[in-house]
């Protein structure tokens, strides 16, 4: 079977620095493990054992097995260093240009980030309802909220994250004073950005119900 495949290889100095930094931290941890193997287990040594020769763990305790000489795997480090900063895009797309494919790939991280946001910020799971209609309504509310937050993020030029926007809007509230007047006692950088973007004046600490309704509705 013949399969069409396009391969696009790129180099990024910023990505190279990131990879070097992460590897240096892992190698430093590996060197410490070699000096003090009793201080590590299979769980706590995660991420650094790939750079250590002869390391193995007890299936029962998870501790490092004694009697083997532990050394740094210099060959592994050198092999990885050759490819710092390089990444490849592999696709079967025939119609799109190289630039279009690259732009689509760059947008994938936003999709992944959206799934993280909807899980962490909007508490998609666990689901505390069992009726099918209620479950669908729960997820619909979460996804609509995500869309609204993403639109807000775009409108303010992405100068604040979805988490910052959510926390700010959740904190912005008013308390009833007297005779139909309310006090607004919360302001932050997100609120200031909203004012500039949408031409609002949210600086008044007290406001009547009618005026606040004209502003916020």
């Amino acid at each position: 079977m013949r399969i069409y495949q396009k391969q696009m290889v790129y180099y990024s100095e910023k990505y190279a620095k990131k990879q070097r930094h992460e590897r240096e931290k892992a190698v430093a941890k590996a060197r410490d493990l070699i000096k003090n193997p009793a201080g590590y287990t299979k769980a706590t040594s995660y991420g650094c054992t790939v750079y250590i020769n002869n390391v193995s763990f007890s299936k029962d305790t998870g501790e490092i097995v004694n009697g083997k000489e532990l050394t740094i795997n210099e060959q592994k480090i050198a092999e990885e260093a050759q490819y710092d900063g390089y990444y490849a895009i592999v696709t079967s797309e025939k119609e799109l240009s190289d630039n279009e494919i690259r732009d689509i790939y760059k947008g994938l991280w936003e999709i992944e980030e959206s799934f993280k946001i909807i899980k962490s910020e909007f508490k998609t799971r666990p689901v505390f309802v069992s009726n099918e209609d209620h479950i669908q309504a729960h997820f619909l509310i979460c996804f609509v909220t995500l869309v609204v937050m993403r639109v807000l993020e775009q409108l303010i030029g992405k100068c604040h994250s979805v988490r910052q926007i959510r926390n700010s809007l959740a904190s912005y509230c008013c308390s009833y004073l007297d005779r139909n007047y309310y006090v607004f006692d919360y302001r932050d950088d997100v609120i200031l950005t909203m004012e500039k973007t949408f031409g609002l004046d949210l600086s008044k600490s007290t406001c009547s119900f009618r005026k606040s309704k004209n502003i916020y509705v």
Side-chain angles (χ1 to χ4, degrees):
M1 181 182 295
R2 179 174 294 180
I3 300 174
Y4 174 86
Q5 186 181 84
K6 177 188 285 189
Q7 298 179 359
M8 303 165 62
V9 181
Y10 295 89
Y11 175 80
S12 167
E13 181 62 31
K14 184 178 180 180
Y15 186 42
K17 290 179 179 178
K18 178 177 181 293
Q19 288 181 300
R20 283 195 293 268
H21 177 67
E22 291 178 349
R23 185 173 56 254
E24 286 169 359
K25 288 198 302 183
V27 172
K29 184 177 179 181
R31 295 187 189 279
D32 186 64
L33 183 150
I34 292 173
K35 292 180 180 179
N36 181 33
Y40 288 85
T41 64
K42 187 174 183 179
T44 59
S45 61
Y46 179 80
C48 74
T49 53
V50 68
Y51 302 110
I52 304 175
N53 294 316
N54 301 323
V55 65
S56 59
F57 299 90
S58 169
K59 293 182 179 179
D60 298 325
T61 65
E63 297 177 343
I64 295 174
V65 176
N66 296 324
K68 294 183 179 181
E69 182 183 5
L70 303 180
T71 59
I72 290 293
N73 190 338
E74 300 289 353
Q75 182 178 351
K76 175 68 174 178
I77 296 172
E79 181 181 347
E80 285 191 0
Q82 295 181 78
Y83 304 105
D84 284 349
Y86 290 97
Y87 61 96
I89 301 174
V90 180
T91 178
S92 59
E93 178 57 56
K94 293 183 178 181
E95 305 301 327
L96 299 179
S97 67
D98 292 353
N99 288 338
E100 289 174 321
I101 292 172
R102 185 177 61 186
D103 291 340
I104 292 172
Y105 177 79
K106 285 183 177 180
L108 291 179
W109 73 270
E110 292 185 331
I111 297 174
E112 295 173 358
E113 185 189 40
S114 293
F115 280 109
K116 291 180 182 178
I117 290 171
I118 205 167
K119 289 179 182 178
S120 61
E121 300 301 322
F122 305 138
K123 310 299 182 185
T124 309
R125 292 173 180 256
V127 179
F128 296 104
V129 290
S130 56
N131 181 282
E132 183 176 349
D133 289 340
H134 295 171
I135 293 172
Q136 291 182 1
H138 167 72
F139 282 102
L140 176 62
I141 292 170
C142 291
F143 279 109
V144 169
T145 305
L146 176 65
V147 171
V148 171
M149 285 296 181
R150 282 301 201 188
V151 170
L152 278 175
E153 185 187 29
Q154 292 288 336
L155 290 175
I156 63 176
K158 293 188 175 181
C159 58
H160 301 290
S161 67
V162 169
R163 170 173 290 184
Q164 291 172 323
I165 296 171
R166 176 194 175 279
N167 291 340
S168 178
L169 295 181
S171 300
Y172 188 77
C173 61
C174 64
S175 301
Y176 180 71
L177 285 177
D178 189 21
R179 297 181 182 179
N180 210 28
Y181 275 86
Y182 295 81
V183 59
F184 295 83
D185 53 4
Y186 182 85
R187 284 175 70 79
D188 60 12
D189 290 340
V190 176
I191 299 300
L192 293 174
T193 301
M194 295 288 184
E195 287 181 326
K196 295 176 182 177
T197 303
F198 301 111
L200 300 173
D201 181 9
L202 308 178
S203 61
K204 296 180 180 179
S205 59
T206 58
C207 191
S208 67
F209 176 76
R210 177 178 294 181
K211 289 184 178 180
S212 63
K213 185 177 179 180
N214 291 335
I215 295 174
Y216 305 113
V217 176

